[in-house]
Amino acid sequence: MSESQLWDDVDEYFSAHLSPEDDTLQAALRDSDAAELPHISVTAPQGKFLHLLAQIQGARNILEIGTLGGYSTIWLARALPADGRLISLEYSAKNAEVATRNIARAGLDRIVEVRVGPALESLPKLADENPAPFDLVFIDADKANNPHYVDWALRLTSTGSLIVVDNVVRGGRVADADSTAPDVQGTRAAIELIGSHPRLSGTAIQTVGGKGYDGFALARVLA
């Protein structure tokens, strides 16, 4: 058995017992596949992890940067109270259309809003609305802009908020200081920003699973 097959098998075992997907989540993935969206959604265990983080945080307001087909959005939104709010920013109009349908089928369209356009244009507009601080920010968009997303997340949160940055290992390439790849440079800049910023305390965890070898960064906003 290959190493990647073993990772898949373990993920399937964990999913079956700890994070089983219901029909709505499965339909979101099927519709994303039918629309030929990239196969880069979080796995079911990762979705459940985000869900639990939001619950542990007692989140009422969540910001997601990178919607794709809305799979992670559904996991996160299901952790919100009935009067909660989730804003998800998505660059692609096609992705946003698929996500909006998936979110509506999940019965979450009352508390979830998908905004279309480059996140670095949407974020200043969002800030101008002076929203309540977001309790959790999930960053899963173009990796080159990760440091900018972390900076905006810090502006839009308050003491005790959590910031999660997905896909920070880049198959191990994040350790290559000489890499000129934009995704690696952006991710390294985000990690170093989290490590050096006086208002952030964070860590990063390497993972293996259905999405291969990767990982995430988790940071808490300090006073």
Side-chain angles (χ1 to χ4, degrees):
M1 180 184 295
S2 69
E3 193 172 56
S4 61
Q5 183 59 58
L6 181 60
W7 297 343
D8 287 342
D9 290 348
V10 172
D11 248 7
E12 289 176 8
Y13 170 73
F14 286 158
S15 297
H17 291 278
L18 300 173
S19 51
E21 295 172 316
D22 58 21
D23 292 342
T24 300
L25 287 166
Q26 292 174 353
L29 292 178
R30 285 197 303 270
D31 283 6
S32 296
D33 287 344
E36 299 182 340
L37 271 56
H39 292 174
I40 54 175
S41 296
V42 300
T43 63
Q46 291 167 345
K48 183 63 176 290
F49 174 76
L50 292 171
H51 179 87
L52 288 171
L53 272 184
Q55 287 185 321
I56 293 166
Q57 183 71 356
R60 302 185 65 85
N61 296 291
I62 295 176
L63 174 63
E64 179 181 51
I65 304 176
T67 317
L68 195 61
Y71 183 78
S72 59
T73 318
I74 293 170
W75 275 110
L76 284 164
R78 283 179 168 177
L80 287 170
D83 60 347
R85 184 188 190 199
L86 189 154
I87 295 176
S88 189
L89 309 180
E90 172 54 46
Y91 175 83
S92 164
K94 175 183 176 181
N95 294 358
E97 183 179 350
V98 174
T100 299
R101 289 198 303 267
N102 287 333
I103 291 162
R105 180 171 48 217
L108 296 166
D109 47 321
R110 292 178 296 100
I111 62 173
V112 175
E113 178 187 0
V114 178
R115 300 189 181 187
V116 183
L120 291 181
E121 294 179 10
S122 299
L123 286 163
K125 295 176 183 177
L126 176 59
D128 287 343
E129 297 171 15
N130 194 29
F134 290 97
D135 305 301
L136 189 152
V137 179
F138 178 48
I139 300 171
D140 191 11
D142 56 308
K143 311 310 173 186
N145 281 314
N146 271 343
H148 303 300
Y149 297 147
V150 171
D151 182 63
W152 273 108
L154 189 55
R155 299 188 208 184
L156 291 165
T157 52
S158 61
T159 302
S161 296
L162 293 181
I163 301 171
V164 184
V165 187
D166 202 11
N167 308 127
V168 299
V169 172
R170 316 306 300 154
R173 293 182 297 125
V174 72
D176 182 3
D178 297 323
S179 175
T180 58
D183 64 321
V184 173
Q185 290 185 329
T187 300
R188 286 176 62 89
I191 293 294
E192 291 163 20
L193 173 59
I194 292 170
S196 62
H197 200 288
R199 292 192 59 228
L200 290 173
S201 175
T203 190
I205 302 294
Q206 300 180 74
T207 62
V208 296
K211 299 300 179 183
Y213 171 42
D214 211 328
F216 63 91
L218 176 66
R220 185 172 186 266
V221 179
L222 307 177

